[in-house]
Amino acid sequence: MDWHILGAGSLGCLWAARLAAQKNNVQLILRDSAAITRYQQTPGIGLTDAQQHSRYYPIPAQLASDSQPIQCLLLACKAYDAQAAISQVAARLSGNSIVILLQNGLGSQQAIQQMLPEVRCIAASSTEGAYQQQPFHSVFAGAGHTFLGDLQPQLHSPPDQFIAQCSAAQINLSWSADINEYLWRKLAINCAINPMTAVHNCRNGELTQHAEQVNRLCAELQLLLERAGQSAAAQNLTQQVWAVIEKTAANSSSMRQDLLNQRRSEISYITGFACAQSNALECSTPTLHALHAQLQQTLLAAGLPAH
Ligand code: NAD
Ligand code: KPL
């Protein structure tokens, strides 16, 4: 199977390096010719592993406008860039292609499946962590697990070759017949933790000082998940949120990190998506709506987009 990876950021480089290490045929799709020139001045995609060993993989790079058909595309950009990025390569995809969507939150995956009704779109929910030390070089920052599953599961059986190649590349994953359950549960956990840490400017563990608000949010999110037909994802949500807070107590959430580093957040795909669903389903979630508005104010005050 031939791989194309669009988005040579933290996760894109992590996946690219691991697949290339197993001699898979991998191509990067970079934004423009200036990015290709910058990439050509490096020793290739760099990956520093958990033992602090760095290795470099001279993976070839091309532009979205290249004419080569795409068999397996890993879309590794932020949720707010996903639709624009996929439209640049849509003409290279066919009914035989698969597209893996690594975006956090919800909304972008469904929008892409709607844009590409004939293409097999597989969504990922991942707890792996990576960051970029410098352009085209990722540092593996936390072992985790990735659940993958079809957005249209009724049409497909599990993609055995794809799963085998990922497993051989040491990508710790499980196939799910109902990826929506994982996506919704992670969305709810991210809605309860990430914006709270951003507006209160605290580490995850310090949310114990805002326990009443966290518990109210969890109760509302549980109601929303049930109303959205995601009862399995809603089960024991409060306990799950507190377990994640405890396990990641010393961490700064990805949303707080984005804010502190003056980077655009994925708010529209986290609390923005949850609030829109809550409105559509006429579900009462006042704490969630108030938190979303407070987060928007915090982002605007920092000079960042509030969407
Ligand atoms: P990132 O910002 O490090 O990388 C995204 C890359 O995509 C950037 O290099 C950007 O230039 C590139 N890009 C965007 N549009 C493009 C286009 N049209 N053409 C070519 N390149 C384009 O992001 P990331 O941290 O790798 O995260 C990707 C997604 O995975 C996000 O939704 C994030 O929330 C999720 N995620 C990240 C981690 C992590 O540890 N980094 C963990 C779990 C989930
Ligand atoms: O997923 C997370 C994030 O920071 O994005 C955790 C740490 C689990 C908090 O929601």
Side-chain angles (χ1 to χ4, degrees):
M1 184 183 280
D2 293 340
W3 292 75
H4 282 81
I5 298 189
L6 197 167
S10 308
L11 283 195
C13 291
L14 175 66
W15 279 67
R18 292 185 298 193
L19 288 164
Q22 289 305 308
K23 310 271 182 259
N24 289 292
N25 195 2
V26 184
Q27 294 267 348
L28 300 171
I29 299 178
L30 300 184
R31 207 182 265 281
D32 48 32
S33 42
I36 295 205
T37 305
R38 285 195 299 278
Y39 175 60
Q40 283 165 346
Q41 286 157 4
T42 71
I45 292 297
L47 177 63
T48 302
D49 64 19
Q51 289 73 42
Q52 300 302 310
H53 296 136
S54 296
R55 287 204 174 79
Y56 295 87
Y57 302 89
I59 299 169
Q62 58 180 226
L63 294 174
S65 57
D66 196 285
S67 60
Q68 188 187 21
I70 295 178
Q71 203 181 1
C72 179
L73 176 73
L74 185 77
L75 189 67
C77 59
K78 291 282 169 74
Y80 49 76
D81 282 330
Q83 280 173 265
I86 205 87
S87 63
Q88 293 179 314
V89 293
R92 300 172 58 184
L93 299 165
S94 71
N96 298 321
S97 308
I98 63 174
V99 174
I100 318 298
L101 302 167
L102 284 187
Q103 288 61 49
N104 213 357
L106 267 171
S108 69
Q109 303 91 334
Q110 291 69 18
I112 286 175
Q113 181 68 84
Q114 268 179 20
M115 282 168 73
L116 305 170
E118 305 301 326
V119 176
R120 181 174 192 175
C121 290
I122 292 173
S125 175
S126 183
T127 55
E128 278 197 318
Y131 65 90
Q132 289 225 293
Q133 195 170 50
Q134 56 208 41
F136 309 112
H137 187 142
S138 282
V139 179
F140 189 53
H145 199 85
T146 302
F147 288 93
L148 290 147
D150 281 302
L151 287 177
Q152 297 179 316
Q154 65 285 2
L155 300 182
H156 309 281
S157 48
D160 296 331
Q161 194 192 1
F162 162 80
I163 295 171
Q165 288 190 354
C166 291
S167 303
Q170 314 291 320
I171 298 166
N172 194 4
L173 61 81
S174 301
W175 184 255
S176 167
D178 183 8
I179 193 63
N180 275 311
E181 181 186 331
Y182 291 93
L183 294 173
W184 275 89
R185 187 180 298 118
K186 183 148 194 293
L187 173 86
I189 293 171
N190 284 161
C191 279
I193 299 177
N194 296 16
M196 287 287 287
T197 60
V199 302
H200 295 296
N201 189 20
C202 67
R203 290 183 184 273
N204 294 358
E206 293 170 285
L207 289 180
T208 49
Q209 290 161 26
H210 306 277
E212 198 209 333
Q213 198 181 352
V214 171
N215 287 336
R216 263 189 285 126
L217 270 172
C218 289
E220 290 180 11
L221 287 161
Q222 183 159 348
L223 190 70
L224 174 61
L225 264 53
E226 281 161 4
R227 206 55 87 74
Q230 298 295 331
S231 314
Q235 268 192 358
N236 302 323
L237 183 64
T238 308
Q239 288 94 315
Q240 290 197 48
V241 165
W242 284 112
V244 173
I245 290 174
E246 200 182 321
K247 201 170 162 203
T248 62
N251 294 6
S252 200
S253 79
S254 54
M255 194 174 263
R256 179 174 181 240
Q257 279 304 114
D258 285 341
L259 178 62
L260 294 177
N261 292 315
Q262 281 286 299
R263 287 190 305 244
R264 183 175 172 186
S265 76
E266 296 180 297
I267 176 176
S268 295
Y269 303 87
I270 312 272
T271 49
F273 178 87
C275 286
Q277 288 291 308
S278 162
N279 291 341
L281 296 166
E282 296 181 7
C283 186
S284 173
T285 55
T287 314
L288 175 69
H289 276 84
L291 179 62
H292 178 64
Q294 203 184 349
L295 176 61
Q296 286 183 311
Q297 279 166 15
T298 305
L299 295 173
L300 287 174
L304 291 166
H307 59 90

